[in-house]
Amino acid sequence: MAVQRPVLTVLMCVGLLATASCTSATSGDTGTPREIRLTTTTPPGSEVVDRVTWALPYGEPTTLDPAKVGDYSPQTVGANLCDTLTRMNADFSLSPGLARKTTWTDARTLVLDLRSDVTFWDGSRMTPEDVVYSLERQTDPKTQALYGNYLSAVTSIKATGPNQVTLRTKAYDQTLPKALSTSFGAVSQQAYTQKAGAAYGTAKGGLMCTGPFKLASWKSGDSITLERNDAYWDSRLKPKAGQVDFKFITNSNTLTSALLSGEVDGTYELPPTSATALARAKNGATYLGPSTQNVLLIPGSAKSPAADRRLLDALSHSLDRNALIKNVFGGDATTLKSLVPPLTWSGDPAADRFDAAYEALPAVPKPDLERAKKLMDQVGPVARPLVAAIPAGDQKGLQTLTFIQAAAKKLGVDIRIRQLQPTEMSSLFYDPSIRQGIDLILTFGYVAMPDPSSYVAEMVTPRGLFNWTNYNNAEVTRLLGKARTSSDAAASAKAYTEAQALFTSTVPVVYLASTHERMFMNKRISGVPTSFAYMGMPWAAHIGGTAK
């Protein structure tokens, strides 16, 4: 969900949509700049490989149902199973997917012209009715979907031809075509999904999609195996890997050993401690890519003492972000001023307007203990320890919270760390009952598509999925609505940046950092994207052998 950065200042050398960029960072204790090379992909792998083993450092997915997927592990797997109507590319641009064309024929009509050659894994043809069903089921409370809000402006979804679906809306919605590149836009077979019912997307219920890999097996507590779909519709992206095994490895030491030994071929979200140990690995390399990830400290509820923005501001002013980035993130992160990292809008026609408004925001706070204590004088004594949650086994999260815990102690605030099982931590974001008794949550979130307004709306509008503190600013809500419904890029950017100027300093959040994507890959394979866009694209279909 948000972005935070300590010691590093990002200097984009090339635009986000280029194949590489560079950032400058402080190196060691000398204060001298070092260059970090960010790339969006790796050289193509041309050889066929029988099997690839990939790690999931955030643990076992709770579901692979695209309507419910909203975390690192399930999206890492699911992006290779269930194709979307528009497709995210490694450089964060969008291209046609299951829909060969998306067209606003007027301000209230979005037409999806579907490909005619797409089949599900069972060989049956994908129909407009499957598309209508996949979108509409996300508005059914029984589905417990995460993305139904994307349809808030939609009044009807109908099959309007043998290869066409038409969405009618209350007004123009610039978010819709972009959202179709996320799991919201994934298409499942209607008959299979209805038969599976609540079990759809689980180890028991399975899936039926159109992607380059099929779900072959799911061994709870151990692994998920994907098998190549030899009848895949996209001839340019037919997989070279016959099988991809995903292993659930949440312990960073175990992960490091598995990567060094070659037992595991690669992983996204490589922990900093593992990156250090793997820096001189002879069997592979670590890659850094551009990212829309953010690290935030967020109150768990409006009733918590931590929901007081003054207390959070005191914590913010007590933190040395430079030290946090250097010591916890290995220097592979940057500071952040607001909820959304600037890379989110880099490809927007109005990127210059976004950049100027972001630059005009207040500077990232420097450590100022005196100011922090004055803010705490306004808050008054905190009567009880504050409970902060992270996933069990997450060393990066534990180090970050320990860093925050030490800073809070100087203010007389006692923070107790609670480690939740990975599946419980994943569910916490969507289940209020799990957040009971939790005051603070350290989030390693992300923006899933190149649209800042829809992401921010989930955190600051009254009905937002991640607005756990009931933040409500009518002007912010109005401006974000305008940003979403304006068909003019400049007008949309203007509305968003005006909202940004209002919510940045008032929403109860501590902005910590935005991390680069860090990926390790064995030298026997290549071709996978290194950017954070992997979360929304069939990245494993790019894997090929190198004969090394």
Side-chain angles (χ1 to χ4, degrees):
M1 288 182 308
V3 192
Q4 298 132 333
R5 332 186 165 189
V7 165
L8 315 173
T9 6
V10 174
L11 300 173
M12 293 306 296
C13 305
V14 186
L16 175 62
L17 302 186
T19 57
S21 63
C22 61
T23 70
S24 72
T26 299
S27 177
D29 298 321
T30 65
T32 58
R34 66 183 178 90
E35 183 179 85
I36 296 176
R37 183 74 171 174
L38 302 182
T39 60
T40 59
T41 191
T42 53
S46 58
E47 304 292 323
V48 172
V49 289
D50 291 334
R51 175 178 296 186
V52 171
T53 304
W54 205 263
L56 296 178
Y58 280 91
E60 183 172 5
T62 55
T63 181
L64 292 176
D65 180 349
K68 302 177 184 179
V69 163
D71 201 0
Y72 287 92
S73 289
Q75 290 199 197
T76 301
V77 178
N80 300 290
L81 295 168
C82 299
D83 279 327
T84 52
L85 289 159
T86 59
R87 177 175 284 173
M88 180 78 75
N89 301 312
D91 62 3
F92 288 86
S93 65
L94 299 180
S95 61
L98 296 176
R100 60 180 179 82
K101 185 169 64 171
T102 59
T103 309
W104 284 99
T105 56
D106 59 51
R108 297 186 179 183
T109 308
L110 178 63
V111 176
L112 311 180
D113 289 310
L114 308 175
R115 295 183 61 95
S116 61
D117 57 350
V118 178
T119 58
F120 290 104
W121 300 327
D122 65 359
S124 64
R125 177 177 170 270
M126 183 192 77
T127 68
E129 287 74 22
D130 292 308
V131 174
V132 172
Y133 171 77
S134 296
L135 293 173
E136 286 188 336
R137 73 183 286 258
Q138 301 188 69
T139 64
D140 184 348
K142 293 180 181 179
T143 304
Q144 296 182 323
L146 303 180
Y147 308 107
N149 187 50
Y150 289 144
L151 295 171
S152 62
V154 175
T155 57
S156 69
I157 308 172
K158 295 181 179 180
T160 49
N163 296 297
Q164 189 179 83
V165 170
T166 299
L167 287 74
R168 293 283 294 170
T169 64
K170 299 174 185 176
Y172 178 85
D173 184 357
Q174 58 94 15
T175 295
L176 263 180
K178 299 173 183 176
L180 294 175
S181 70
T182 71
S183 56
F184 161 77
V187 178
S188 297
Q189 187 190 73
Q190 179 177 1
Y192 186 101
T193 308
Q194 289 177 327
K195 184 177 180 180
Y200 186 69
T202 67
K204 179 181 178 181
L207 286 168
M208 185 54 65
C209 290
T210 66
F213 290 93
K214 309 175 185 180
L215 179 61
S217 68
W218 185 340
K219 298 177 183 178
S220 295
D222 179 65
S223 63
I224 291 174
T225 297
L226 310 189
E227 178 184 289
R228 179 172 54 219
N229 175 14
D230 289 324
Y232 188 48
W233 60 269
D234 190 345
S235 59
R236 299 167 302 173
L237 201 58
K238 288 192 175 181
K240 295 183 180 68
Q243 188 170 301
V244 181
D245 295 331
F246 290 95
K247 295 287 187 179
F248 318 140
I249 307 178
T250 57
N251 182 280
S252 59
N253 292 329
T254 303
L255 176 60
T256 302
S257 297
L259 292 168
L260 282 171
S261 69
E263 178 186 347
V264 170
D265 291 304
T267 186
Y268 287 109
E269 312 312 322
L270 182 71
T273 52
S274 297
T276 300
L278 292 163
R280 297 183 180 179
K282 296 181 180 180
N283 66 333
T286 299
Y287 301 83
L288 294 177
S291 174
T292 58
Q293 295 179 85
N294 47 43
V295 188
L296 301 176
L297 189 65
I298 302 177
S301 75
K303 296 180 181 179
S304 169
D308 188 330
R309 175 70 197 228
R310 296 171 301 173
L311 185 151
L312 295 176
D313 281 344
L315 275 178
S316 182
H317 284 288
S318 70
L319 294 172
D320 184 343
R321 286 169 172 79
N322 287 349
L324 177 66
I325 285 179
K326 175 186 172 183
N327 297 320
V328 175
F329 300 112
D332 297 330
T334 57
T335 53
L336 185 74
K337 292 183 174 184
S338 188
L339 287 172
V340 173
L343 291 180
T344 304
W345 55 69
S346 292
D348 194 279
D352 289 348
R353 185 183 291 269
F354 280 108
D355 287 338
Y358 183 82
E359 181 64 25
L361 291 173
V364 174
K366 295 181 179 180
D368 188 340
L369 191 58
E370 182 178 349
R371 183 174 179 181
K373 288 181 176 179
K374 288 181 178 179
L375 285 167
M376 286 306 302
D377 287 342
Q378 298 176 25
V379 175
V382 180
R384 60 173 178 79
L386 301 179
V387 178
I390 55 167
D394 178 10
Q395 292 303 308
K396 180 174 60 176
L398 180 59
Q399 289 175 336
T400 303
L401 268 187
T402 301
F403 190 94
I404 294 170
Q405 185 183 51
K409 188 175 181 180
K410 297 177 183 178
L411 304 178
V413 177
D414 184 10
I415 293 180
R416 306 283 174 87
I417 300 173
R418 180 182 297 177
Q419 299 190 51
L420 304 179
Q421 291 304 308
T423 53
E424 188 178 17
M425 187 71 187
S426 179
S427 299
L428 168 152
F429 291 92
Y430 311 104
D431 186 348
S433 66
I434 299 178
R435 294 197 297 272
Q436 289 184 6
I438 294 177
D439 298 289
L440 291 165
I441 299 163
L442 181 68
T443 71
F444 290 82
Y446 51 87
V447 185
M449 59 181 173
D451 179 46
S453 60
S454 60
Y455 175 86
V456 166
E458 294 290 2
M459 300 188 69
V460 304
T461 58
R463 297 170 63 183
L465 185 62
F466 303 119
N467 184 1
W468 302 331
T469 59
N470 301 327
Y471 178 87
N472 189 356
N473 182 312
E475 182 63 4
V476 167
T477 300
R478 184 189 72 81
L479 287 168
L480 290 177
K482 185 176 180 180
R484 179 169 178 169
T485 58
S486 177
S487 59
D488 178 74
S492 178
K494 182 175 185 294
Y496 172 79
T497 56
E498 288 177 358
Q500 176 184 251
L502 296 174
F503 68 70
T504 295
S505 61
T506 55
V507 67
V509 170
V510 178
Y511 312 115
L512 294 172
S514 178
T515 57
H516 303 317
E517 178 53 46
R518 187 190 289 112
M519 183 269 287
F520 181 88
M521 183 173 60
N522 193 289
K523 66 182 180 181
R524 80 180 188 94
I525 58 173
S526 191
V528 301
T530 54
S531 75
F532 190 67
Y534 82 89
M535 291 279 281
M537 61 181 289
W539 59 268
H542 293 265
I543 293 175
T546 61
K548 293 182 180 180

